[in-house]
Amino acid sequence: MATIKAAILGFGTVGQGIYHILNEKREELKNKLGLELEVAKILVTDASRERVPGTAHLMTENIDDIFEEQGLQVVFEAIVNEEPAYTYLKRAIENKCHVITANKVMFAKHGLKLQELAKEYGVFVGYEATTAGGVPVIKTMKNILLVNDVSRIQGILNGTSNYILTKMRAEGWTFEDALKEAQKLGYAEADPYNDVSGQDAFKKIMILSALAFGEQPDWDNVDVIGIDSISAAEVEEATAKGLRYRHVAEVEKREDGSIFAKVGPMLVDAEHPLYPVDDVNNAVALETNYIGTLSLVGPGAGMYPTASVMVEDYAEIIGKRAGFVVRI
C-alpha cells in the first residue's frame, strides 16, 4: 500500500487536533483511500517541549527540515499569523505539495494568489477551515456555484461575538460580563480585539467574496464595526420588540458589477435566517438565483471542528487525484 507523507506546520490547538484525528481515523482513511498517511514532520517553535506523547521525534524548529523530507506530498498549516505562513505555503506549492490551511488572516489576503500558483504546479489548496469552523460553507459554495450564481452572503462568522450577544439578551448581562465569561470558557482570547472589533469576521467574509465572485472589494472601503458599543439597555429594548442583535458580515455583487461589503451589528426579526443562531454557533445565508436562500449553521471554532474539516479537505484532495469522492 502506498504511503503519503504529511507535515503539520504549527502544533497548537488545531495542529494537535489534526494529529489526533489522523491517528484515530487512520484505518478508516486507509480503507477508503487505499493509502497510508504518515505524519512525517511537525514544525514547532520549541522542539524541546513534547506537546503530544510520542511526537518528539517528529518535531523540528527548522522549515528546511520539512521540505527536505523525501516524498512529502501534503502540508497542513495551522499557524496564526500572515507570515511566515504565506511564505511556507508558497514554498510547499512550489515543492508540488498539496496544502491545507486554517489561516484566515493569511488566506484572506493571499488566497487567490496561492490558488493560482497551485494550478500552475498541479496541486490543490484546501481552505474549508478558514471560514466558519465546522460549517461546510466552502464545499457547499463550490458545489452550488457550478450551476447557481450567488448574489449575496450574510454570515455570523465569529462565535465569540455571537456568544456575547446571546448572553446579553438571554441573561441580561453587560458586554463586559459576557466577555469575561467567554474568556473564562475559552471562547475568547485574553486579547479579544479581533473577535469583538469585527476584524475576524471581516477576513472571513473576504475569503467568501473571493470564492463567490472571484474578487474582493477594496478593503479600505469596507466598514467594519464591532459589538463593544452595544449596551445592555439597547439589547433589552430590541428584545422587547421581538428583535435580536446579530454581528453580521455581508458581501454582495450589485447590478453594476461592483462588490459591496460591510461588517457590523444588525437587528434581525424572526423571519431572518440568522435570527435563531445562538451561542458560539456560526451561520451563513447564501442568496442564489435557482435555490433561493440557503442557510448553513454549525460550530464555529475549536480543536475538533476546525481540525476535522482540514482532514476532510485532505480526503477530498486525495480522492480528486485518484478520481473518486471520499466522505469521512
Side-chain angles (χ1 to χ4, degrees), residues 43-64:
L43 184 70
V44 294
T45 53
D46 180 6
S48 67
R49 185 166 63 91
E50 187 179 48
R51 295 149 181 82
V52 175
T55 59
H57 67 292
L58 302 176
M59 296 192 299
T60 179
E61 299 171 16
N62 188 349
I63 190 63
D64 291 334

Side-chain angles (χ1 to χ4, degrees), residues 233-246:
E234 288 173 317
V235 172
E236 184 179 1
E237 182 181 348
T239 302
K241 295 177 181 177
L243 303 173
R244 293 180 179 178
Y245 275 102
R246 296 296 185 217

